[in-house]
Amino acid sequence: MHRFLSLAAVLALAVAIACSNDILGTPSVANATDTVTLGALEGTPISVASGYNISVGAVRTDQSVDFEFAYNVRKLADGTYQRVFLPRAALGLVTTAANPGLQAQTKTFDDITRAPSNGYTADSAVAIQVGDRYVVRSRVVCTSLGVPLYGKLEILSFQDSTVTFKVLTDLNCGFRDLNPGLPKN
């Protein structure tokens, strides 16, 4: 039994070291809040950005598949419309590593301070409404570490076929701190 406890302690220490800032390095990019507007995939001119990439912001989905999710307005069977974010896998763009996704949050935007590592909706549409808040996980963009980037967003408004949201991103590989300024972890 003593040997088993020692092995468990060694494994716990290894996990702690692997997740420490020594492995991730020192953060160099301050977390910042921005406002983004996307047009729907359908029904807006092709020149309007419909995708969101944590690293660069709004992207045109006809020019790049490097985005975490796209926005669309879907007509439902009963004739009503539903506004949705579509993670890449929901569009058939599956990656070999963790797919980007969204996770609904009940906390206020400011009270969302750390991104969870699991529990993201990555393969189906996410219905959205004004006031909804989400944590976003990117594709694995930090290939040297094999980790994603994280951010948080809040839906501010809809106008015609567009959505506007505020977003705070952590562009430091592997850091999950969602507070303004340099991340602490």
Side-chain angles (χ1 to χ4, degrees), residues 15-119:
V15 168
I17 290 170
C19 295
S20 74
N21 290 357
D22 293 338
I23 299 297
L24 297 178
T26 302
S28 59
V29 181
N31 295 348
T33 302
D34 194 10
T35 302
V36 176
T37 299
L38 299 177
L41 283 170
E42 302 171 84
T44 58
I46 198 164
S47 60
V48 175
S50 297
Y52 180 75
N53 176 316
I54 283 182
S55 299
V56 298
V59 296
R60 287 180 48 182
T61 56
D62 66 311
Q63 295 180 340
S64 175
V65 294
D66 291 336
F67 55 86
E68 278 53 77
F69 61 85
Y71 168 68
N72 204 16
V73 180
R74 304 188 310 183
K75 187 172 184 177
L76 302 176
D78 65 2
T80 61
Y81 291 89
Q82 181 183 52
R83 296 167 185 274
V84 295
F85 284 148
L86 298 163
R88 287 170 44 97
L91 294 167
L93 302 169
V94 181
T95 60
T96 56
N99 285 308
L102 298 118
Q103 186 180 109
Q105 299 290 302
T106 57
K107 296 178 181 177
T108 68
F109 184 83
D110 291 337
D111 287 341
I112 301 168
T113 59
R114 185 162 173 80
S117 55
N118 297 313

Side-chain angles (χ1 to χ4, degrees), residues 3-4 14 17-18 40 50 53 65 123 129 139 144 172 182:
R3 177 176 270 161
F4 177 73
I17 290 170
S50 297
N53 176 316
V65 294
D123 59 0
Q129 296 181 21
R139 301 160 281 117
S144 63
N172 298 281
L182 281 177

Side-chain angles (χ1 to χ4, degrees), residues 154-175:
E154 181 175 357
I155 309 297
L156 298 177
S157 66
F158 299 116
Q159 184 174 354
D160 300 322
S161 60
T162 66
V163 61
T164 300
F165 55 91
K166 69 177 172 179
V167 61
L168 178 139
T169 55
D170 188 336
L171 300 179
N172 298 281
C173 291
F175 283 78

Side-chain angles (χ1 to χ4, degrees), residues 128-151:
I128 59 173
Q129 296 181 21
V130 170
D132 286 353
R133 292 163 303 278
Y134 298 90
V135 174
V136 181
R137 178 184 66 201
S138 78
R139 301 160 281 117
V140 172
V141 294
C142 303
T143 53
S144 63
L145 295 174
V147 296
L149 299 174
Y150 296 94

